[in-house]
Every structure is written in C-alpha cells, then in structure tokens.
Amino acid sequence: MPQGSPRGTYLEVSESLREKIRKGKITEALPSQSALVSEYSVSRSTIERALAALRAEGVIESVQGAGWFVAGTGDRRPLVEKATDLLRADGVRVGDRFPTEKELCERFGASRTAVRSAIAQMEGQGLIGKGAARGREVRALPVGRGTQTV
C-alpha cells in the first residue's frame, strides 16, 4: 500500500477493506491481523486503527478468540468450541490424529496464537494430547455441545 501520510494510512486500509466487503470479496471472517499486516505492508497498530474505525462504523465486529467478522455474519463461537467440534465429527475416535496448528490456522482463518490457546484449553480438558512424532492425538471425545469429557 502506498504510504501517503502516516496519519491517513489506516484510513486507506479501512477504505480498502470496506470496499472488499461491499464487493463481496470478504463475506464473513476477515483475514487475521498478521495476514493484513503482510497484505498492506503496514504496522500492526495501523491495522488495529483501521479495524477500530470499521467497528465504530458498524461494518465489522470482533469476537474474542474468533477474530473479526463482517457485521451480522459468521460463526461467533470461540475458537476452542469450533476446534472441539472437530472431535464430534462422524468417525473420529480416541487415538486419531488431531490437526496441526498450521492446519487449524488455515481451516479457521485464525492466528497461530489463537490456535495455540485453543489447543492448550483442549489439552487442559483432556480432549487431546501429545501423540507420536510431535503431533497431537484425540484422547477423549466431548459429550453434548459443551467441552466436557466422560
């Protein structure tokens, strides 16, 4: 992104994102902040200001642990709940391989930090644990809609 004035760069980023939303290029979840930093070649604080401006206008909303979404769209549940849902899929059994951090980042469009936090919570609940070859495996299956184990 061309650098006009440092004061206005966040406005250029917010206008670009607003236009992508308007044209349907972004329909639910926005890219992670780190992806936006790379895409626009600006600092994290510039991205944060751009997102704050869009939030103030009601264009987007933030969900703790899930990211930024176009207002009125997307799955607002915390990332740990979405990741736990992977264990509820048909055919998942104790001992199965659990997706890697990279796979979870790509699947949910979440940052590595958010994914690591969700994994730590799932490990703390005994749902997943260290498996063979540095990977993780399913240790228990969740019961019902919550994240409790039997």
Side-chain angles (χ1 to χ4, degrees):
M1 166 152 289
Q3 295 291 336
S5 78
R7 283 177 49 108
T9 304
Y10 81 96
L11 294 172
E12 293 174 23
V13 172
S14 66
E15 182 56 36
S16 174
L17 290 170
R18 184 182 300 104
E19 195 62 21
K20 287 180 179 184
I21 291 167
R22 189 184 69 73
K23 290 182 176 180
K25 293 180 181 176
I26 299 175
T27 57
E28 287 187 24
L30 274 70
S32 68
Q33 286 189 21
S34 59
L36 292 172
V37 165
S38 295
E39 179 179 344
Y40 290 102
S41 299
V42 296
S43 70
R44 183 170 291 276
S45 63
T46 298
I47 295 300
E48 289 170 352
R49 288 185 71 191
L51 295 173
L54 291 172
R55 179 180 52 207
E57 296 169 19
V59 175
I60 62 173
E61 52 194 22
S62 172
V63 177
Q64 181 73 27
W68 291 89
F69 294 87
V70 174
T73 65
D75 185 350
R76 302 297 194 276
R77 296 175 303 141
L79 182 58
V80 68
E81 287 183 26
K82 292 189 254 184
T84 300
D85 278 350
L86 296 176
L87 303 179
R88 292 186 178 96
D90 286 339
V92 174
R93 293 176 301 198
V94 171
D96 286 353
R97 177 189 163 280
F98 190 73
T100 65
E101 288 178 7
K102 180 179 179 185
E103 291 168 340
L104 293 170
C105 288
E106 291 169 358
R107 180 177 190 139
F108 296 116
S111 71
R112 181 80 53 144
T113 302
V115 166
R116 285 181 178 157
S117 175
I119 287 172
Q121 290 176 57
M122 293 175 73
E123 286 177 336
Q125 296 166 358
L127 296 174
I128 60 174
K130 298 285 183 193
R134 295 181 26 196
R136 289 183 177 84
E137 66 181 30
V138 177
R139 293 273 171 89
L141 299 177
V143 176
R145 291 298 305 155
T147 54
Q148 301 298 313
T149 58
V150 175

